[in-house]
Amino acid sequence: MQSRGWRNHSSINEFILLGFSRNPRTNWILFFFFLFLYLFTVLGNGLIVTLIRADARLHTPMYFFLSILSLLDLSYATTTVPQMLAHLVSENKTISYVGCVVQMYIFLTLGITETWIFAAMAYDRYVAICYPLHYGVQMSQLLCILLAVSSALCGFTCALVYTVFAMTLPYCGPNEINHFFCEIPAVLKLACADTSLNDQVDFILGFILLLVPLSLILASYVRIFMAILRIRSKQGRIKAFSTCASHITVVTMFCIPCMIMYMRPGSEASPEDDKKLALFYNVISAFLNPIIYSLRNKDVKRAFLKLIRISEDTQ
């Protein structure tokens, strides 16, 4: 019923996603490049989830949140990349109006949820380093589940607000979206109505959903670094910092491009710049996360080697 109501405001039944290039040769090169990134993303994030579930030593709050992050990255990329790959090698680059709405909503839900999961991971590191003796009590299984569920609920609710405000606008044509998926800033450029209210809503929600968790992450790491500096052993300081370095890197790669995309006025946005930013936090970030966490994490490496030995023994 809701989707029918939205479509009454619009004379468009489908959109055309222009993607990156109209050159077939360029598109084939991009197809194989993004196919490699996507397959590695699926393999890498899927492997991390499998290792965490299979190894009892990884059944801790930190790895609980890491497994959720990997699932989100996997889902995040799957929402957009398979369709992008199909459009790169096909003459038909259309997406239905309803399909565009669904893609937009799922993408936003996963992205918003991931932002708050980052904040939960920062809090976990804060408790582990600043209050190690109380870690097992404070980071209880119940609290971890509550943090994960509340992050998801925030994602579901705020994504709905974003999507409703965008898709209740009239879309009269043209129907060509200069992007590789239905992302709100690109879709809003096709609206045949004033989008200043949408810009304000995007800025307010962007402030709440990006700057608030980033502020919590920053506050956690200020306290963490103060605690690290009080550690007398140089080796202890290096070990404590290494547990946080991966998280800081991933948060920076994901959140900074999102802030640029969603907190600036639509009139200042360049379609080509938007596509590059979206690639960074949608494709590149999900591709790099397994590498960043596995290369810096001895526990993950140990679990991987253990899994290999078990598979060899069974043969």
Side-chain angles (χ1 to χ4, degrees), residues 66-270:
L66 179 57
S67 66
I68 294 176
L69 180 64
S70 294
L71 285 172
L72 288 171
D73 282 336
L74 181 58
S75 305
Y76 206 53
T78 302
T79 304
T80 60
V81 177
Q83 180 194 58
M84 177 183 69
L85 292 173
H87 285 177
L88 283 171
V89 296
S90 171
E91 293 184 2
N92 181 15
K93 303 179 187 299
T94 60
I95 182 172
S96 68
Y97 185 93
V98 174
C100 187
V101 173
V102 171
Q103 185 184 59
M104 184 185 295
Y105 177 71
I106 294 174
F107 182 82
L108 285 167
T109 298
L110 295 169
I112 294 167
T113 302
E114 184 159 331
T115 305
W116 287 100
I117 289 295
F118 283 140
M121 293 174 77
Y123 177 72
D124 170 71
R125 293 298 83 208
Y126 161 70
V127 176
I129 293 174
C130 297
Y131 302 100
L133 298 179
H134 302 92
Y135 180 70
V137 176
Q138 290 198 28
M139 293 303 298
S140 63
Q141 184 179 19
L142 177 60
L143 178 61
C144 292
I145 293 172
L146 285 175
L147 288 172
V149 171
S150 60
S151 298
L153 288 176
C154 182
F156 286 126
T157 306
C158 295
L160 184 62
V161 175
Y162 262 120
T163 306
V164 168
F165 266 88
M167 303 315 290
T168 49
L169 291 170
Y171 294 90
C172 315
N175 66 337
E176 292 184 340
I177 301 175
N178 194 0
H179 212 309
F180 61 92
F181 72 101
C182 286
E183 190 165 30
I184 283 184
V187 174
L188 286 178
K189 292 177 181 179
L190 303 184
C192 45
D194 182 22
T195 60
S196 57
L197 177 61
N198 294 79
D199 287 340
Q200 294 174 16
V201 170
D202 289 352
F203 180 83
I204 293 170
L205 284 177
F207 181 86
I208 296 171
L209 301 174
L210 286 169
L211 290 186
V212 171
L214 277 177
S215 298
L216 295 173
I217 292 169
L218 180 61
S220 297
Y221 277 108
V222 168
R223 296 291 300 274
I224 287 171
F225 290 143
M226 291 173 62
I228 290 174
L229 291 175
R230 290 196 294 267
I231 299 175
R232 295 181 179 181
S233 166
K234 181 179 179 181
Q235 186 176 359
R237 287 197 299 269
I238 293 173
K239 183 179 179 181
F241 180 77
S242 66
T243 63
C244 305
S246 300
H247 184 241
I248 295 172
T249 304
V250 169
V251 169
T252 303
M253 286 195 311
F254 182 85
C255 291
I256 300 302
C258 284
M259 287 176 62
I260 298 172
M261 176 72 84
Y262 284 93
M263 294 189 67
R264 66 182 175 184
S267 57
E268 298 180 6
S270 160

Side-chain angles (χ1 to χ4, degrees), residues 7-27:
R7 293 181 67 172
N8 286 339
H9 291 82
S10 175
S11 60
I12 292 177
N13 292 320
E14 64 181 17
F15 294 102
I16 298 172
L17 295 167
L18 296 181
F20 300 98
S21 173
R22 295 182 185 273
N23 186 320
R25 184 177 180 181
T26 302
N27 283 339

